[in-house]
């Protein structure tokens, strides 16, 4: 039985004051939920203060990136050690905005995922096709490549810790959600790839989130699909009410 995981990606939003308000509100609303792993991923400048608010609560801290070297001349990057210092437990790796706007390659994603695992943190590795790739029937080719390259040289004994986020790029921040059936089809494909790369048991253990315009009113339908284990939420994670409603909705399945 895979435990649902809902993560909020705050992207480049919120000042410290706003972030504290959001973190306090979420702590209040969600303090009694133990059946879902809840993660918030604020920007780097907010990690310390948000971390203090949620310390020892059921809400865990995540970062939006992590470099593969422990330290060095990598201006603008952040190391896993620096993140561990702040009690960060998760790191989003290979988000489509990093791939699209900052030239993130599959090779870099793989190095980051390996470094995050080595440090004892949990990577949330994002995969997903853009609109042109969907329209030209390249979805499965793209996803296969993202999964295989992103997990290169990661052993079976480690891979079960990785969370994969399937985020169709055309659904991120656009208000267009993949239908639950479209999402399920790709989640199922990702699981079949994990079976090929590892084995059936491993494939059934890895958690796969959906991301792309997840809202309180579509979370239950998404979670009702057999291979959807949670959500990576952008816009709707910036508001206490909507993120709390998504977390609470993720507990329910139809049928
Ligand atoms: C995201 O940032 O990963 C995301 C899915 O954004 P949104 O929920 O706003 O589409």
């Amino acid at each position: 039985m895979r435990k649902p995981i809902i993560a909020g990606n705050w992207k480049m939003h919120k000042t410290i004051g706003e972030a504290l308000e959001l973190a306090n509100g979420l702590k209040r609303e969600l303090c009694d939920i133990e059946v879902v792993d809840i993660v918030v991923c604020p920007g780097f400048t907010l990690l310390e203060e948000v971390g203090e608010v949620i310390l020892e609560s059921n809400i865990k801290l995540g970062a939006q990136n992590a470099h593969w070297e422990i330290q060095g001349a990598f201006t603008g990057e952040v190391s896993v050690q620096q993140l561990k210092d702040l009690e960060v437990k998760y790191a989003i790796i290979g988000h489509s905005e990093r791939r699209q706007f900052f030239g993130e390659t599959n090779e870099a994603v793989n190095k980051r995922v390996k470094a995050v695992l080595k440090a004892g943190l949990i990577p949330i590795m994002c995969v997903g096709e853009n609109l042109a790739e969907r329209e030209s029937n390249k979805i499965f080719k793209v996803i296969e490549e993202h999964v295989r390259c992103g997990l290169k040289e990661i052993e079976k004994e480690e891979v079960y810790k990785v969370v994969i986020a399937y985020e169709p790029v055309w659904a991120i921040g656009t208000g267009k959600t993949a239908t639950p059936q479209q999402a399920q089809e790709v989640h199922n494909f990702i699981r079949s790839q994990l079976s090929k790369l590892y084995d059936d048991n491993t494939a059934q253990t890895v958690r796969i989130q959906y991301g792309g315009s997840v809202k309180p009113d579509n979370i239950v339908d998404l979670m009702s699909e057999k291979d959807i284990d949670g959500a990576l939420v952008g816009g709707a994670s910036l508001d206490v009410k909507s993120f709390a409603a998504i977390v609470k909705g993720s507990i329910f399945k139809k049928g």
Side-chain angles (χ1 to χ4, degrees):
M1 190 52 178
R2 298 180 297 268
K3 188 175 182 187
I5 172 165
I6 305 290
N9 175 9
W10 295 4
K11 307 194 184 186
M12 200 173 70
H13 293 286
K14 305 284 179 195
T15 59
I16 292 178
E18 292 164 347
L20 290 178
E21 205 176 307
L22 176 54
N24 276 304
L26 291 176
K27 198 168 132 179
R28 247 190 334 267
E29 285 285 326
L30 298 173
C31 62
D32 55 350
I33 296 192
E34 296 296 341
V35 291
V36 179
D37 283 337
I38 308 168
V39 184
V40 292
C41 305
F44 296 133
T45 61
L46 308 171
L47 285 171
E48 183 166 7
E49 312 210 23
V50 170
E52 277 166 20
V53 172
I54 60 177
L55 192 69
E56 286 172 18
S57 80
N58 55 337
I59 304 176
K60 301 297 170 221
L61 194 59
Q64 296 175 23
N65 202 1
H67 198 260
W68 53 86
E69 294 291 344
I70 293 296
Q71 59 177 5
F74 300 101
T75 304
E77 289 281 338
V78 67
S79 78
V80 286
Q81 288 305 335
Q82 291 170 323
L83 296 175
K84 278 182 81 165
D85 255 4
L86 296 176
E87 298 293 328
V88 168
K89 305 291 183 211
Y90 292 79
I92 299 174
I93 301 295
H95 190 278
S96 65
E97 285 151 17
R98 304 263 355 135
R99 293 180 190 259
Q100 195 179 346
F101 304 127
F102 302 98
E104 187 84 338
T105 60
N106 281 329
E107 192 193 2
V109 169
N110 176 243
K111 286 184 184 174
R112 293 184 198 276
V113 169
K114 286 196 278 198
V116 168
L117 282 171
K118 194 169 171 200
L121 272 56
I122 298 176
I124 298 179
M125 184 182 88
C126 302
V127 303
E129 81 286 359
N130 62 32
L131 188 59
E133 289 161 344
R134 175 161 279 260
E135 285 176 343
S136 56
N137 280 329
K138 293 201 183 109
I139 309 173
F140 297 116
K141 182 177 176 292
V142 172
I143 302 293
E144 187 274 332
E145 224 167 79
H146 282 182
V147 172
R148 177 173 43 79
C149 300
L151 298 178
K152 194 173 157 203
E153 293 164 359
I154 295 172
E155 301 297 328
K156 192 168 96 173
E157 291 68 30
E158 286 269 89
V159 77
Y160 74 93
K161 298 175 200 157
V162 176
V163 175
I164 297 178
Y166 167 56
E167 298 210 304
V169 180
W170 50 272
I172 297 178
T174 58
K176 283 186 201 159
T177 324
T179 64
Q181 295 71 31
Q182 282 173 320
Q184 166 59 26
E185 186 185 23
V186 180
H187 281 233
N188 181 260
F189 176 75
I190 294 171
R191 240 181 257 294
S192 73
Q193 295 311 297
L194 292 169
S195 281
K196 265 196 200 159
L197 293 170
Y198 300 95
D199 55 36
D200 289 349
N201 193 35
T202 307
Q204 289 305 321
T205 311
V206 173
R207 292 184 293 179
I208 310 175
Q209 298 176 303
Y210 168 77
S213 298
V214 174
K215 302 272 178 311
D217 61 8
N218 57 27
I219 186 69
V220 177
D221 285 342
L222 288 162
M223 292 302 292
S224 300
E225 296 294 336
K226 146 168 150 326
D227 289 300
I228 300 183
D229 305 316
L232 181 55
V233 186
S237 73
L238 299 174
D239 172 77
V240 174
K241 271 211 173 95
S242 61
F243 190 66
I246 289 171
V247 170
K248 289 174 186 170
S250 74
I251 298 167
F252 300 101
K253 277 188 186 279
K254 281 186 172 167

